[in-house]
Amino acid sequence: MVSKKESAFDPARSLELLWRTNEKPSRSGLTVDSIVAAAIELADAEGLDAVSMRRLADALGVGAMSLYTHVHGKAELTDLMVDSALGSLYSTVDEPKAATEGWREGLRFVAERNWTLYQRHSWLLDAQGPRAVLGPHTIEKYEAELRVIDGVGLSDVDMDSVLALVLTHVTGTARALARFNRVREESGMTDAQWWESTSPVLERVMGDDRYPLASRVGTAAATSYDAASDPVHEYEFGVERILDGVAALIDRA
């Protein structure tokens, strides 16, 4: 529900804010950039839900109404935060291409940078919606990442699909890791303690021959990970298998 102080979300107005097309000077010295920087700092420390106009106003030492003259509400602020965070991915639009040799190393570089970004700003996993935030940093990121697969024989649609596949995998495994870490923290149990607690029950209910594959494979995986799952392994394994698939796609093209 939109608060009385916030106006309804307007995608066109949000886009103008992202590109700073109508930014007005403030006598207080407050700017959109300073508001966004404070919001990101708060989200990094406490999560996206902690970010509110009142909390930001307190952090910036201004009245809440002062913020609304620059940013009309939480939805627009979130778009601005996402776009700003993406600006830290690459030093220049040419970095992913220039820092690597070949499309495979380039896509691996892109995956690693995005994976690291989610560890630094885990709130991004909650902030990004189904529609892209079409700000300057988001567009530059897309351009930079496409350049590593330009000219390898893929169609434009396939290039977009390959990049989406890589980034979707990174997002999914980063979300799994964040959830994994949250469960550890909230439960107060290490993985070893969790296994010690659940193993007697699992051995009793799975001790017969009803689930031979689940028992064999699950035991092998759990022993390898020393945990119920390993999102870092899933991320690394998945990236390499995706790259194998892209190689096959390029070969067919």
Side-chain angles (χ1 to χ4, degrees), residues 18-32:
L18 285 163
W19 290 87
R20 309 292 197 272
T21 60
N22 294 314
E23 186 170 10
K24 299 175 182 178
S26 170
R27 285 178 293 180
S28 67
L30 198 64
T31 65
V32 172

Side-chain angles (χ1 to χ4, degrees), residues 138-200:
T138 307
I139 300 298
E140 185 168 282
K141 173 184 185 294
Y142 186 51
E143 172 74 20
E145 293 171 348
L146 284 172
R147 289 185 183 185
V148 304
I149 48 175
D150 186 32
V152 301
L154 298 175
S155 70
D156 287 351
V157 173
D158 282 347
M159 287 171 62
D160 179 79
S161 297
V162 163
L163 185 57
L165 178 62
V166 171
L167 297 180
T168 299
H169 171 69
V170 173
T171 302
T173 49
R175 183 171 284 111
L177 179 60
R179 186 166 57 245
F180 196 70
N181 291 335
R182 187 160 52 247
V183 167
R184 280 175 172 169
E185 182 179 345
E186 292 174 352
S187 68
M189 299 178 72
T190 66
D191 295 322
Q193 290 170 331
W194 186 84
W195 277 119
E196 185 178 354
S197 176
T198 59
S199 289

Side-chain angles (χ1 to χ4, degrees), residues 38-48 50-51 55 120-123:
I40 289 176
E41 184 176 352
L42 181 56
D44 285 344
E46 301 182 37
L48 189 62
V51 178
R55 290 285 305 275
R120 190 164 64 249
H121 301 302
S122 60
W123 55 267

